[in-house]
Amino acid sequence: MIIGLGIDVVDVARFAKQLERSPRLLDRLFTEGERGLGTNSLAARFAAKEALAKALGAPVGLRWTDCTVVRAGDGRPHLSIIGTVRARADSLGVTSLHLSLSHDAGIASAVVVAEGGS
């Protein structure tokens, strides 16, 4: 059963300018393992975190760093969640999260489906 669906798009150039203006955003938005990635990948990961928040009902108090986008052995991205994000997902009965990322023509996008038991 689908519990939530979220989608987000990020203008990569605008996102890069924001990171230049506010370097502390890297620490606020991304986990240590994500911070060294290129701008396209960071923008896609930010879109994923926004899409996840939407899929979970966009509650106040989620910490961006309680979600990490990681690559599975086959190269597919998935979401690793802890803390505030895990607590929200558990409270909704989420048992699995599905993620799709893309970046092309200066736009990064992400779709998240939150799924739960019947």
Side-chain angles (χ1 to χ4, degrees):
M1 171 173 85
I2 294 176
I3 293 174
L5 171 67
I7 184 170
D8 196 64
V9 296
V10 174
D11 180 300
V12 176
R14 194 168 93 204
F15 183 74
K17 287 178 187 175
Q18 186 63 37
L19 288 177
E20 287 175 23
R21 280 193 303 266
S22 304
R24 288 185 179 178
L25 277 178
L26 272 178
D27 292 336
R28 278 191 30 229
L29 299 176
F30 302 104
T31 62
E32 187 175 337
E34 294 172 318
R35 291 181 198 134
L37 298 170
T39 305
N40 282 338
S41 292
L42 288 174
R45 279 159 174 75
F46 180 68
K49 293 175 186 218
E50 283 278 351
L52 174 59
K54 291 173 184 176
L56 297 177
V60 175
L62 293 183
R63 293 189 54 198
W64 296 109
T65 55
D66 283 351
C67 172
T68 305
V69 177
V70 295
R71 293 247 173 231
D74 63 2
R76 294 186 326 172
H78 70 275
L79 297 163
S80 174
I81 59 174
I82 61 171
T84 60
V85 178
R86 167 60 67 194
R88 176 62 178 179
D90 288 348
S91 75
L92 294 172
V94 173
T95 56
S96 62
L97 295 165
H98 308 277
L99 171 63
S100 180
L101 298 175
S102 185
H103 43 77
D104 188 33
I107 300 292
S109 62
V111 176
V112 172
V113 176
E115 189 177 14
S118 53

